[in-house]
Amino acid sequence: MISSSATIAASSIIEPGVIIGPHVVVGPFCFISAGVRIGEGTVIASHVVINGNTTLGRENRIGMGSSVGEISQDLKYDGEPARLEIGDGNDIGRHSTLHRGTAQGGSVTRIGNQNIFQAGVHIGHDCQVGDHTTMGDHSGLAGHVTLGDYSQLGALCAVHQFCIVGTGSRLLDNTCVVQDVPPYVLANGNRAVPLGINERAQAFARATADEQRVIHHLYDLLYHQQEPVDVVKLEIERLSVEYPMLRQFNDFFTRSTRGIIRG
């Protein structure tokens, strides 16, 4: 079903069964396969391929030459049903590649709202990307990566499979992550090491002065005093009674399996 208010270039191929919402624009030489659903106001540039069970929300922008919803590069993938879910207001740069999930990862790659992905970004199978994140040119997430809300990746960053990049954290250009990055940590290098607190993060800026002080306290325990993670987790549990925003740290350490980056 294609809305009467959608604009589709004559050279593009839209298979039967595609759902295209009002005021969608599809540029020239695109291919959109059956099973794709595109929300209102989304703009798709030229030479874009959108495949499989892929859903795009409202007001997304897809750059030219991008591949959205292709099957994963995981060699274990054997054709089982899998999907890609993209929220609202995302800006996906030209020549980006976003893959569907696999059975081993819940069968879904999920991208939230208001994210900015610059040219050549890769988001692998089963990744879980939050809201208001940014990824610089040619940065990539391997399979099963979690990218927390308001996190920032510079250009040419790489994140190893199953890693977590926590809420409000920031990776400088050319950073390679092979272990988890705690919330609000600024990191750099190959392999990534912590450089301090990402005080430029929107989520950090919106925190109260007391909450910011507590975040600095947790960083001090982890990286200056070199306390074991179990000790830091107990401190988080104690403080989260007074500071509910620390629950995001609880969530991070509960899900962390690869250990955290160290100096």
Side-chain angles (χ1 to χ4, degrees):
M1 181 176 68
I2 299 176
S3 171
S4 60
S5 62
T7 302
I8 300 173
S11 56
S12 287
I13 298 173
I14 313 296
E15 288 192 335
V18 173
I19 298 175
I20 296 180
H23 310 295
V24 169
V25 176
V26 179
F29 303 106
C30 294
F31 174 80
I32 303 176
S33 74
V36 172
R37 288 155 286 181
I38 302 173
E40 179 176 356
T42 291
V43 177
I44 300 167
S46 68
H47 299 85
V48 171
V49 175
I50 307 178
N51 264 323
N53 186 359
T54 296
T55 301
L56 291 92
R58 299 163 56 95
E59 306 292 341
N60 292 291
R61 295 161 298 281
I62 313 295
M64 69 175 183
S66 293
S67 173
V68 178
E70 193 55 77
I71 63 171
S72 80
Q73 297 179 103
D74 190 329
L75 297 180
K76 297 188 299 296
Y77 181 74
D78 195 29
E80 62 269 17
R83 63 191 191 277
L84 168 64
E85 297 177 357
I86 300 174
D88 303 330
N90 297 288
D91 193 342
I92 298 169
R94 63 189 183 276
H95 304 297
S96 294
T97 54
L98 286 65
H99 288 179
R100 281 177 273 158
T102 66
Q104 292 78 21
S107 299
V108 58
T109 302
R110 185 174 289 110
I111 295 167
N113 307 310
Q114 306 294 326
N115 298 291
I116 299 174
F117 306 141
Q118 296 182 343
V121 159
H122 173 71
I123 297 178
H125 60 88
D126 304 296
C127 287
Q128 306 295 309
V129 177
D131 302 331
H132 303 285
T133 72
T134 62
M135 293 179 64
D137 289 353
H138 302 289
S139 286
L141 309 180
H144 307 276
V145 167
T146 298
L147 198 60
D149 295 346
Y150 295 100
S151 53
Q152 304 165 286
L153 278 65
L156 296 166
C157 291
V159 182
H160 191 280
Q161 61 184 350
F162 295 100
C163 281
I164 301 171
V165 179
T167 297
S169 58
R170 183 181 175 205
L171 309 181
L172 300 182
D173 293 351
N174 300 295
T175 295
C176 177
V177 170
V178 298
Q179 290 183 296
D180 299 332
V181 182
Y184 304 107
V185 167
L186 174 67
N188 188 33
N190 181 9
R191 305 306 196 241
V193 296
L195 300 180
I197 293 293
N198 179 26
E199 296 185 351
R200 295 170 54 184
Q202 293 184 45
F204 183 86
R206 289 204 308 270
T208 66
D210 283 345
E211 289 171 336
Q212 292 178 356
R213 177 183 56 78
V214 170
I215 292 170
H216 277 283
H217 169 60
L218 295 177
Y219 184 92
D220 182 64
L221 289 179
L222 279 170
Y223 293 117
H224 294 153
Q225 300 184 37
Q226 296 288 318
E227 292 285 359
V229 168
D230 286 345
V231 171
V232 177
K233 288 167 68 175
L234 290 174
E235 181 72 349
I236 291 168
E237 290 177 12
R238 183 182 71 83
L239 290 170
S240 60
V241 175
E242 184 177 358
Y243 302 102
M245 60 88 66
L246 293 183
R247 291 170 186 157
Q248 60 193 283
F249 285 87
N250 276 326
D251 178 66
F252 171 85
F253 283 111
T254 297
R255 293 184 295 113
S256 176
T257 59
R258 293 187 57 81
I260 64 170
I261 62 170
R262 291 291 189 179

